[in-house]
Amino acid sequence: MLQQLFKKMDSNPLLKNVSKSLQTTLANREVSKIATHFKQFFNTSIANDQATKELSFRIRHDVYCTELAFEPEKSDGLEKDEFDEHSIHCLVQHKGSKNFAGTVRMVMSNSPEQLLPIEQFCSHALEDEVLHPKNYKREEICEISRLAVPAQFRKRKTDKYEGAGTGVIDEHSFSQNEMRCFPFIAISLYFMAATVTQQKGINHIFVMMEPRLARSLRFVGIPFTQIGKVTEYHGKRAPYHIDPKVLFQTLSPGFKKLMMVIGKDMKEQLDNV
């Protein structure tokens, strides 16, 4: 009912700003509750050993190879590439089931020879000459990539959109409080990545994503700046830049609370990375 009401209001120029204000207020209220419950149901961790990294690779294989067919299936069930050797990998685990609910990696660049994936595969799409990876010190840049949320933590196995889905799971499998957290798993993964990059002195984050996902994440205050054209790369995607220094300033209040909850947990692990 609310979605239909907001859709009607959005179509009316006189009510569009009112609609946005109401949606923002409701979203902040909801996410403030989510932040309270998040650590009750989920663990956030950095993969500090090969065994834990392979958990991330298996999630990626299930999503990127088996489900979405973005990459060919591997006999060992691990989706990995040359960038993983100079990446930091994060995981979200559901406490009740012990299953992993999502993963993401931050690809670092320690030398001009260590290109980011966006430079190696999508250089033709990078059109902004100012916000371009080549303009910055290699130790100050990274790329967020391979964000994946397994199908069981989503609404439908047939969902086919960027980030391997951000919807809720089957309502018969988990409690109402747990279900309310699941649409925010992908957002929590971005917050985990942002916390890591801030602590590592990264000043420029790059990511390839669908424009509609970037618009959705801007709604919560994640400041994506599109720096090039839409191109074919695991679907229709465009390159984006994030300044992690301003991220916390631009987040809406509810999402600031969620990032603080996640950030506190992550900072305790960063000394071991």
Side-chain angles (χ1 to χ4, degrees):
M1 290 292 292
L2 278 177
Q3 289 182 342
Q4 294 177 351
L5 175 61
F6 287 138
K7 188 174 182 180
K8 289 180 180 179
M9 293 175 71
D10 287 339
S11 65
N12 187 325
L14 296 177
L15 298 177
K16 190 171 184 178
N17 289 336
V18 176
S19 172
K20 288 183 177 179
S21 178
L22 285 172
Q23 290 181 64
T24 300
T25 299
L26 290 173
N28 279 320
R29 288 178 181 175
E30 179 67 9
V31 79
S32 291
K33 297 175 184 176
I34 296 300
T36 301
H37 291 291
F38 192 85
K39 286 305 297 175
Q40 180 181 350
F41 301 120
F42 294 97
N43 284 320
T44 55
S45 62
I46 297 173
N48 289 325
D49 54 54
Q50 189 58 32
T52 311
K53 289 177 182 177
E54 288 189 0
L55 293 172
S56 176
F57 301 156
R58 290 190 185 281
I59 294 173
R60 285 163 39 179
H61 188 275
D62 289 346
V63 173
Y64 282 86
C65 303
T66 304
E67 183 183 353
L68 300 180
F70 285 158
E71 300 287 348
E73 293 197 43
K74 312 297 192 325
S75 59
D76 60 1
L78 304 177
E79 195 286 307
K80 54 186 179 179
D81 58 31
E82 68 271 25
F83 301 103
D84 290 312
E85 292 300 318
H86 48 99
S87 297
I88 297 175
H89 305 268
C90 292
L91 292 154
V92 175
Q93 184 181 30
H94 179 247
K95 291 182 178 180
S97 66
K98 305 299 183 184
N99 292 328
F100 284 88
T103 184
V104 70
R105 74 178 178 186
M106 290 70 69
V107 183
M108 305 300 178
S109 178
N110 301 312
S111 71
E113 289 72 36
Q114 284 188 341
L115 296 178
L116 301 177
I118 200 171
E119 296 176 285
Q120 183 164 323
F121 299 115
C122 303
S123 59
H124 61 283
L126 295 169
E127 298 176 323
D128 191 315
E129 287 299 320
V130 177
L131 297 175
H132 193 291
K134 67 182 180 182
N135 294 332
Y136 308 112
K137 294 179 181 179
R138 303 307 293 184
E139 65 269 20
E140 293 183 355
I141 66 174
C142 81
E143 181 173 346
I144 296 176
S145 73
R146 290 300 198 264
L147 187 151
V149 178
Q152 73 173 114
F153 289 92
R154 303 209 311 276
K155 190 174 183 178
R156 301 180 305 274
K157 289 188 177 181
T158 53
D159 287 341
K160 304 273 186 179
Y161 49 88
E162 171 64 22
T166 58
V168 298
I169 63 166
D170 184 353
E171 62 270 20
H172 300 297
S173 301
F174 297 88
S175 71
Q176 289 298 315
N177 280 337
E178 287 174 306
M179 285 198 316
R180 288 168 55 230
C181 294
F182 292 155
F184 297 93
I185 290 174
I187 294 174
S188 73
L189 289 165
Y190 277 109
F191 286 169
M192 292 168 71
T195 299
V196 171
T197 55
Q198 287 173 350
Q199 293 297 306
K200 292 294 181 181
I202 300 295
N203 294 323
H204 303 279
I205 301 173
F206 297 90
V207 62
M208 290 290 294
M209 64 167 54
E210 288 187 2
R212 62 177 177 172
L213 178 58
R215 289 193 296 270
S216 297
L217 294 174
R218 284 197 199 103
F219 177 75
V220 308
I222 301 179
F224 288 102
T225 300
Q226 188 168 339
I227 58 172
K229 61 186 177 183
V230 176
T231 189
E232 182 64 35
Y233 181 66
H234 294 163
K236 296 295 183 182
R237 301 189 180 191
Y240 292 87
H241 172 272
I242 310 170
D243 183 343
K245 297 188 298 298
V246 303
L247 172 59
F248 195 73
Q249 301 169 19
T250 59
L251 288 175
S252 55
F255 285 96
K256 281 185 180 180
K257 184 175 180 180
L258 180 59
M259 185 171 177
M260 288 175 66
V261 169
I262 292 170
K264 181 180 179 181
D265 190 39
M266 297 298 291
K267 287 174 183 177
E268 296 173 357
Q269 305 178 49
L270 286 172
D271 290 340
N272 297 321
V273 176

